[in-house]
């Protein structure tokens, strides 16, 4: 699959931000990575590592193209999450994100104004988040860590890092790194974002017909009579994990999250190349691998040492790619094989009642989990509730949200039961 994007030069509005984010990650993450692993302490959950970059550089930070500050939040906690629970190879993680400074921009797909960027190899997503979401994630980090540790097959967003870039005139941009639920090597033919709310949750059908990348919603799902086709075993496992995850989300008192479902139809394969041209690619036009090599060569800084190790352990073929076209693999890299719901080509293969495979692969997970039931959401509940059923609108109290979400997800599965409640009006 060739992913041809619009190469955006250094004059692009978000180029400096991208450069700063990746430089911060490259230096910050490899700094922590270079140290000997140790058990977490309570302080690790509130730790912040600060870096100050400028064009000159010093003993602590290498020179950068711009002046900016970078903060790495709870680096040891995220390191443990990445390595012990999400089974990411540390060298691989760093290289995917920063061996070349290339990100593709999805822009701002939601209403929130967050920006989404994909790593060059499409495995990771950088999402800029609002300050309130950032503070919220820090406040629940311990609970999140606990949940992930006890639920190796959780469907919740996998947070790999939490960072902040501060530009010279004071603008602060917070962002998380997370998993891309969708695979680099498979076209996703249909996408649904499901909440269990049925008020206004419809993507216009006329537009959907001409846009293969439309993100469809609850009413589209219900009206099309769709069902997740999973045999009894997979259905039971998925139901139980969703129950636990929804319970966790109720406890941390959030709402507005959704189950994202991507469907790959095997008989259609990759011939539509849906990923082609969907992404704008940021590239500074210089190979960051060359830069990384220079940094790594001979240096004795922790960063140089970690970089050298990363490069030694990496697959050299992946680094030699051209810079105007991104090559995405046609084959599964197998990096998610440890996880039940991501074991079939990075996703979950549809099965019939006899557990025989069907020719569809589902890519699913629970996303957008950082919205607490705040004053704003309570007001939204009040206003939307004036003109529609108070129990079917999107903003409801977290207990009710969680219960409705879980019921809907059962109704979404063939044989899962309870669909009557979610009929379209
Ligand atoms: P809003 O708050 O208005 O819903 P948001 O900016 O918080 O929007 P999200 O709901 O997190 O954004 O995501 C918006 C869309 O981006 C999703 O519907 C999905 O299409 C895509 N997306 C988000 N997270 C992922 C992910 N981890 N993997 C793949 N796609 C994702
Ligand atoms: Ca959302
Ligand atoms: Ca959101």
């Amino acid at each position: 699959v060739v992913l041809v994007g619009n190469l955006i030069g250094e004059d692009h509005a978000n180029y400096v931000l991208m450069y700063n984010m990746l430089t911060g990650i490259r230096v910050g993450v490899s700094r922590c990575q270079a140290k000997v692993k140790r058990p977490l302490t309570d302080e690790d959950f509130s730790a912040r590592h600060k870096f100050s970059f400028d064009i000159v550089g010093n003993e602590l930070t290498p020179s950068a193209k711009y002046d900016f500050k970078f903060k790495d939040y709870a680096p040891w906690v995220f390191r443990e999450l990445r390595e012990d629970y999400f089974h990411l190879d540390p060298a691989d993680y760093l290289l995917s994100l920063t061996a070349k400074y290339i990100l593709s921009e999805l822009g701002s797909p939601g209403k929130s104004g967050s920006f989404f960027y994909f790593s060059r190899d499409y495995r990771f997503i950088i999402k800029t988040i609002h300050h309130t979401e950032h503070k919220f994630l820090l406040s629940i980090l311990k609970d999140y860590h606990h949940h992930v540790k006890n639920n190796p097959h959780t469907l919740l967003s996998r947070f790999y890092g939490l960072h902040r870039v501060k530009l010279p005139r004071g603008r602060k941009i917070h962002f998380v790194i997370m998993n891309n639920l969708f695979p680099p090597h498979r076209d996703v033919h249909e996408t649904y974002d499901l909440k269990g709310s049925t008020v206004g949750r419809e993507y216009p059908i006329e537009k959907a017909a001409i846009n293969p990348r439309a993100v469809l919603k609850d009413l589209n799902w219900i009206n099309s009579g769709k069902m997740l086709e999973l045999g009894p075993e997979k259905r039971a496992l998925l139901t139980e994990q969703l129950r636990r995850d929804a319970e966790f989300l109720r406890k941390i008192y959030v709402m507005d999250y959704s189950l994202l479902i991507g469907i790959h139809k095997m008989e259609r394969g990759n011939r539509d190349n849906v990923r082609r041209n969907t992404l704008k690619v940021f590239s500074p036009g210089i190979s960051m691998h060359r830069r990384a090599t220079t940094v790594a060569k001979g240096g004795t800084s922790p960063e140089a040492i970690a970089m050298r190790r990363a490069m030694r352990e990496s697959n050299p073929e992946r680094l030699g790619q051209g810079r105007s076209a991104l090559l995405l693999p046609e084959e599964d890299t197998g990096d998610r094989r440890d996880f039940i719901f991501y074991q079939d080509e990075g996703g979950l293969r549809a099965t019939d009642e006899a557990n025989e495979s069907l020719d569809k692969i589902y890519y699913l997970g629970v996303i957008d989990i950082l919205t607490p039931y705040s004053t704003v959401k309570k007001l939204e509940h009040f206003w939307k509730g004036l003109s529609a059923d108070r129990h079917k609108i999107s903003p409801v109290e977290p207990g009710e949200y969680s219960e409705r979400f879980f019921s809907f997800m059962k109704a979404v599965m063939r044989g899962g039961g309870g669909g009557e409640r979610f009929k379209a009006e």
Side-chain angles (χ1 to χ4, degrees):
V1 179
V2 182
L3 190 97
V4 187
N6 311 326
L7 283 175
I8 298 176
E10 304 187 20
D11 51 346
H12 188 277
N14 289 337
Y15 171 74
V16 176
L17 173 62
M18 180 216 66
Y19 176 93
N20 296 351
M21 291 195 297
L22 295 186
T23 304
I25 293 168
R26 182 168 57 82
V27 174
V29 173
S30 52
R31 187 69 49 85
C32 178
Q33 215 90 264
K35 294 182 186 147
V36 178
K37 196 106 165 279
R38 56 164 176 76
L40 291 182
T41 65
D42 269 358
E43 289 74 59
D44 288 326
F45 288 87
S46 50
R48 290 142 174 62
H49 292 183
K50 286 186 191 176
F51 301 86
S52 192
F53 289 90
D54 57 44
I55 49 176
V56 184
N58 56 49
E59 323 79 68
L60 287 173
T61 51
S63 70
K65 274 165 66 170
Y66 309 100
D67 292 354
F68 68 97
K69 291 195 163 62
F70 182 83
K71 246 189 196 181
D72 192 1
Y73 294 86
W76 286 93
V77 177
F78 285 103
R79 178 181 179 185
E80 182 168 304
L81 285 169
R82 287 195 304 272
E83 294 178 12
D84 295 1
Y85 311 129
F86 297 140
H87 303 195
L88 283 184
D89 177 74
D92 215 34
Y93 176 68
L94 218 52
L95 278 173
S96 287
L97 283 164
T98 72
K100 283 186 184 175
Y101 276 24
I102 298 177
L103 290 180
S104 43
E105 186 183 51
L106 184 64
S108 183
K111 271 180 259 154
S112 73
S114 284
F115 273 79
F116 288 76
Y117 301 93
F118 295 102
S119 64
R120 178 179 56 106
D121 57 8
Y122 206 59
R123 285 168 63 206
F124 304 109
I125 292 181
I126 297 180
K127 178 184 181 183
T128 64
I129 56 174
H130 194 267
H131 182 50
T132 51
E133 290 176 289
H134 164 95
K135 280 204 305 206
F136 182 73
L137 176 54
L138 280 177
S139 76
I140 58 141
L141 191 55
K142 225 177 212 157
D143 301 324
Y144 176 79
H145 176 268
H146 182 81
H147 183 76
V148 168
K149 188 174 176 174
N150 292 299
N151 290 272
H153 300 290
T154 180
L155 295 151
L156 299 183
S157 286
R158 294 162 181 237
F159 295 121
Y160 300 138
L162 175 64
H163 312 286
R164 187 187 87 180
V165 159
K166 192 171 152 201
L167 301 171
R169 258 177 248 109
R171 201 156 74 97
K172 293 172 188 163
I173 292 118
H174 300 92
F175 59 100
V176 283
I177 322 279
M178 56 186 189
N179 59 322
N180 183 1
L181 280 168
F182 297 165
H185 69 295
R186 288 270 173 258
D187 281 358
V188 167
H189 299 111
E190 273 174 43
T191 308
Y192 290 88
D193 181 294
L194 305 177
K195 292 185 172 176
S197 154
T198 46
V199 176
R201 297 281 301 159
E202 184 165 30
Y203 185 94
I205 339 170
E206 325 79 64
K207 274 166 72 191
I210 52 169
N211 180 7
R213 287 183 298 276
V215 180
L216 307 172
K217 299 183 182 172
D218 305 56
L219 287 173
N220 302 98
W221 180 281
I222 294 170
N223 293 335
S224 70
K226 242 185 201 4
M227 286 283 155
L228 268 190
E229 296 175 76
L230 296 171
E233 277 174 26
K234 286 183 176 176
R235 194 164 64 224
L237 288 167
L238 186 65
T239 306
E240 176 57 12
Q241 192 56 57
L242 279 168
R243 190 189 65 73
R244 292 186 193 191
D245 290 340
E247 172 64 14
F248 170 76
L249 296 169
R250 183 187 65 74
K251 272 200 207 126
I252 62 168
Y253 214 60
V254 291
M255 31 80 67
D256 250 7
Y257 46 86
S258 43
L259 183 76
L260 186 66
I261 304 181
I263 305 174
H264 171 77
K265 298 174 181 170
M266 293 166 86
E267 81 276 3
R268 266 167 80 181
N270 280 348
R271 88 178 87 93
D272 307 354
N273 227 327
V274 189
R275 285 159 297 170
R276 189 193 288 264
N277 290 328
T278 64
L279 306 172
K280 292 186 209 143
V281 179
F282 285 126
S283 163
I286 50 157
S287 160
M288 273 322 288
H289 183 237
R290 212 164 57 219
R291 154 124 177 78
T293 313
T294 320
V295 172
K297 238 185 236 156
T300 52
S301 69
E303 187 209 359
I305 294 165
M307 260 295 165
R308 270 205 297 280
R309 205 187 74 206
M311 290 193 300
R312 237 188 354 261
E313 291 170 0
S314 75
N315 174 0
E317 276 163 13
R318 287 165 94 185
L319 296 168
Q321 293 167 0
R323 44 172 237 250
S324 53
L326 291 182
L327 286 171
L328 292 178
E330 291 283 350
E331 300 288 325
D332 181 23
T333 55
D335 59 341
R336 305 196 206 170
R337 226 175 281 143
D338 298 343
F339 302 103
I340 301 175
F341 304 117
Y342 305 102
Q343 65 180 334
D344 309 321
E345 304 262 341
L348 186 63
R349 180 90 180 252
T351 43
D352 65 15
E353 285 305 306
N355 293 321
E356 294 292 332
S357 293
L358 300 171
D359 55 359
K360 262 182 221 128
I361 302 173
Y362 300 119
Y363 294 92
L364 33 92
V366 180
I367 61 160
D368 206 9
I369 62 170
L370 299 178
T371 313
Y373 194 51
S374 63
T375 320
V376 180
K377 289 294 167 186
K378 284 175 195 161
L379 277 173
E380 214 180 296
H381 173 77
F382 176 78
W383 289 113
K384 285 194 178 166
L386 291 179
S387 56
D389 185 331
R390 226 162 248 298
H391 301 287
K392 293 183 177 170
I393 56 178
S394 158
V396 294
E397 184 274 325
E400 183 173 349
Y401 195 98
S402 164
E403 191 267 326
R404 186 181 67 185
F405 179 81
F406 179 58
S407 304
F408 187 67
M409 297 318 145
K410 279 193 293 187
V412 152
M413 288 180 233
R414 188 196 51 207
E420 309 76 37
R421 181 177 157 189
F422 297 100
K423 292 257 159 54
E425 255 120 67

